[in-house]
Amino acid sequence: MASSEEFTQYVIGQLEEVGCITYKKLFGEYGLWYEGKFFGTVEDNQFYVKKTEAGKKLLPGAEPVAPHGGTPGMYAVEELEDKAFLAELVRATCAELPAPKPRKPKAKRTKSAKKTDMSER
């Protein structure tokens, strides 16, 4: 079951104390970014954050899960009512994540060389 836009907007609203959260639809679910860092997802109407030491401390007893398959690398966040806690969790998680890699500039297209008329030679 894909996440609803309404639930995703609810999660974004609960994260308002963090600052500017951006999100993008990814394969029917949603990826979440803060200061350019991908830190979590909303999948099957459940909020997840990337697994970090900070997350382990702030979510004691939480087991790493793999909401979209593969290696468990996220924590499910069950409590969504405490905005201050959510802000602390996201900021602490992002503090441990590497800075985003700078994007390579798109290659500029060069104009094709001017064709010379063979009769001018």
Side-chain angles (χ1 to χ4, degrees):
M1 173 182 119
S3 296
S4 70
E5 175 78 21
E6 293 78 23
F7 182 77
T8 303
Q9 288 296 327
Y10 169 72
V11 171
I12 300 297
Q14 293 304 98
L15 298 174
E16 69 186 0
E17 289 186 19
V18 177
C20 182
I21 300 291
T22 57
Y23 69 99
K24 181 168 87 173
K25 196 162 191 165
L26 301 171
F27 307 108
E29 303 297 349
Y30 295 87
L32 305 173
W33 285 262
Y34 173 63
E35 295 183 339
K37 294 180 180 182
F38 174 71
F39 72 89
T41 62
V42 175
E43 300 184 47
D44 293 325
N45 286 338
Q46 173 65 54
F47 174 45
Y48 298 92
V49 294
K50 281 190 164 187
K51 181 176 84 170
T52 61
E53 285 301 313
K56 187 175 183 178
K57 290 176 186 172
L58 292 168
L59 298 167
E63 293 295 322
V65 295
H68 47 270
T71 305
M74 303 193 105
Y75 292 120
V77 180
E78 302 294 334
E79 176 55 49
L80 298 176
E81 298 304 314
D82 186 346
K83 291 182 179 184
F85 170 75
L86 292 173
E88 179 183 8
L89 176 62
V90 170
R91 285 188 185 117
T93 297
C94 288
E96 290 187 29
L97 298 175
K101 294 179 183 176
R103 291 185 172 214
K104 293 180 182 178
K106 290 184 179 180
K108 292 184 179 180
R109 288 187 172 174
T110 58
K111 293 184 179 181
S112 59
K114 205 176 196 182
K115 292 183 181 180
T116 56
D117 187 0
M118 297 300 266
S119 62
E120 292 179 16
R121 289 186 181 193

